[in-house]
Amino acid sequence: MERIMIYPYTRAYEPYVRYAGLLENREIVSLVSSGGSGLVGRQVCSGEKELTVSKDYEAELNRCDGVWFVNDEKFALPEDAVEEKIRKAVLQGKKILCTRTSFRDSARIADSIPSELQMLPQEPDLKKDMLGAEYCYHIDTPVLVVYGTERDTDKLAVQLALREELMRIGYKVASISSRMDGRLYGMYPIPEYMLKPVCAEGDKIRKYNHYVKQIELTQQPEIMVIGIPGGVLPYDRVDHNEYGILAYEMSFAVPCDGAIVCMPYNAGFDGDYSEFARDMERIFRYRTIGCHIAAAVPDMQTALDNRKRHLVSLDRKFVETKVKQYARKDVFHIVSKDEAPGCVQFIVDALSEG
């Protein structure tokens, strides 16, 4: 069993720690953050155990077999300091996975890691080679889309929960993540060209469709779970969520058979999201069959001060209790281990009926 450290650990990687059971022949044993992150000493659930966030990189390096170098969140570390930690890990013969996208010279850093120390083989070149046609192919596999009203609404955790439970009950699942760093978990990343202005918008739609089609032909899955980055709702002129353009493009590239919307907890919500679902079907052709309530709520003071929505975390047990009060099968907190089996069975039944 290969023992893995995540550095620098941030809350954005909590879903990966929570669903570490999806790792094959690997386990996450160490989380290291910087002293100023505010996370040092916190307990993070990983399967059946709790991990304590440390700030002692060198001590934790001694007890692991490999290091997963990830992106910062709000507390950015100096690039040269992270590169020095990569060098230390290489000198000690540790396996390396670097999904950190902030390096100015990422190619040089990648070349500095010996091939025998690379944790994963080189990524298949699906995102560059388009299939022959100048149009979008039909996707024959049922497609389940996970999207959110905004950022930080548990989208990644929902994708991992779906993958874990669908695989547990025997489905062959192909997952295309809403992020670029899920390969360790058997997920395909969203291609970089979808997130940057490197080609025409029409080409993005065709290339992404061909990317998904190649995965379908290669993996021959029974179901595909596709995550949509960012949010779909522009709240106002300032807080625009990029106007939902990426979700719009992806909905044309790969129409879905069913969708799960992730939204923050709202004390005034009564469980009825039907009007919202009609809007999503009209705009994005998302047949929304379920609603995940995230353990997060808008911080209204920040919104007033900065004119920008910001979500703060809530206790998951509190949200689970509130969700049960809706008494609806299609409104859930799917990242609850106890609730996941029932939620996924409901989703499978809804897809079958559709």
Side-chain angles (χ1 to χ4, degrees):
M1 184 73 73
E2 199 169 72
R3 299 165 299 169
I4 306 300
M5 175 207 300
I6 296 181
Y7 178 84
Y9 174 75
T10 70
R11 285 195 183 92
Y13 289 85
E14 181 181 349
Y16 287 133
V17 179
R18 185 179 181 87
Y19 290 96
L22 287 169
L23 295 169
E24 291 188 2
N25 300 317
R26 296 185 174 100
E27 64 173 332
I28 295 173
V29 298
S30 181
L31 309 174
V32 178
S33 187
S34 60
S37 67
L39 297 174
V40 175
R42 294 205 177 192
Q43 299 286 313
V44 183
C45 178
S46 179
E48 300 298 321
K49 62 181 185 293
E50 296 275 344
L51 299 179
T52 302
V53 181
S54 171
K55 64 178 180 181
D56 194 336
Y57 175 83
E58 295 191 14
E60 297 299 322
L61 189 62
N62 291 328
R63 56 186 294 263
C64 71
D65 304 307
V67 185
W68 182 7
F69 290 92
V70 301
N71 284 325
D72 300 308
E73 200 170 5
K74 296 174 183 176
F75 190 85
L77 294 174
E79 188 171 310
D80 55 351
V82 178
E83 190 174 351
E84 175 61 26
K85 286 180 168 55
I86 292 176
R87 282 195 291 268
K88 286 183 178 179
V90 168
L91 286 173
Q92 292 191 30
K94 307 296 184 180
K95 293 286 188 71
I96 305 293
L97 176 62
C98 186
T99 59
R100 191 177 175 84
T101 56
S102 58
F103 283 127
R104 290 186 298 273
D105 194 357
S106 56
R108 176 183 58 79
I109 292 170
D111 290 342
S112 71
I113 302 169
S115 57
E116 66 272 16
L117 294 183
Q118 293 179 11
M119 201 177 295
L120 289 176
Q122 187 173 357
E123 184 179 337
D125 207 9
L126 295 173
K127 61 186 178 185
K128 293 182 181 177
D129 297 331
M130 292 180 69
L131 297 172
E134 287 297 316
Y135 55 78
C136 288
Y137 289 86
H138 179 70
I139 305 299
D140 299 303
T141 307
V143 173
L144 178 64
V145 161
V146 177
Y147 72 98
T149 55
E150 56 193 295
R151 296 178 183 275
D152 302 324
T153 50
D154 283 349
K155 292 192 303 296
L156 177 61
V158 170
Q159 293 164 66
L160 290 166
L162 287 166
R163 180 173 178 81
E164 180 180 72
E165 183 60 23
L166 286 166
M167 290 172 64
R168 189 190 69 80
I169 61 178
Y171 282 90
K172 186 175 182 182
V173 185
S175 299
I176 305 175
S177 175
S178 56
R179 288 178 23 182
M180 296 172 62
D181 53 10
R183 287 188 64 220
L184 200 61
Y185 288 70
M187 304 171 77
Y188 288 87
I190 183 168
E192 191 172 359
Y193 57 74
M194 292 300 293
L195 305 174
K196 295 184 178 181
V198 295
C199 61
E201 303 308 312
D203 286 340
K204 285 185 179 183
I205 293 171
R206 287 186 292 273
K207 287 180 73 172
Y208 188 72
N209 169 267
H210 292 196
Y211 177 65
V212 175
K213 187 64 179 179
Q214 288 179 83
I215 292 171
E216 180 185 45
L217 294 173
T218 302
Q219 298 296 318
Q220 298 185 341
E222 295 170 303
I223 186 169
M224 303 185 84
V225 179
I226 296 180
I228 309 296
V232 297
L233 291 179
Y235 283 99
D236 55 35
R237 180 173 58 85
V238 176
D239 205 0
H240 48 67
N241 272 323
E242 297 300 333
Y243 312 102
I245 290 172
L246 182 56
Y248 189 70
E249 291 175 342
M250 292 176 73
S251 72
F252 271 93
V254 185
C256 74
D257 297 279
I260 304 300
V261 59
C262 303
M263 60 175 62
Y265 172 76
N266 182 337
F269 179 60
D270 63 0
D272 182 7
Y273 62 95
S274 57
E275 185 174 347
F276 173 82
R278 284 194 293 271
D279 288 343
M280 294 300 99
E281 187 158 14
R282 187 176 67 251
I283 299 170
F284 300 107
R285 297 181 293 175
Y286 289 162
R287 184 174 76 92
T288 304
I289 59 176
C291 174
H292 167 80
I293 305 299
V297 66
D299 178 359
M300 299 311 298
Q301 188 59 53
T302 301
L304 290 171
D305 292 343
N306 302 329
R307 295 194 61 198
K308 192 77 172 175
R309 281 176 67 90
H310 171 70
L311 300 184
V312 293
S313 298
L314 289 176
D315 179 75
R316 290 198 179 276
K317 293 295 183 184
F318 168 81
V319 175
E320 289 175 31
T321 300
K322 291 294 184 180
V323 167
K324 287 177 182 177
Q325 293 174 5
Y326 300 138
R328 294 178 56 133
K329 289 184 177 181
D330 60 341
V331 181
F332 39 69
H333 188 66
I334 197 171
V335 298
S336 164
K337 296 287 186 178
D338 294 334
E339 300 297 322
C343 294
V344 169
Q345 189 58 56
F346 166 80
I347 291 166
V348 169
D349 292 344
L351 287 173
S352 300
E353 293 167 2

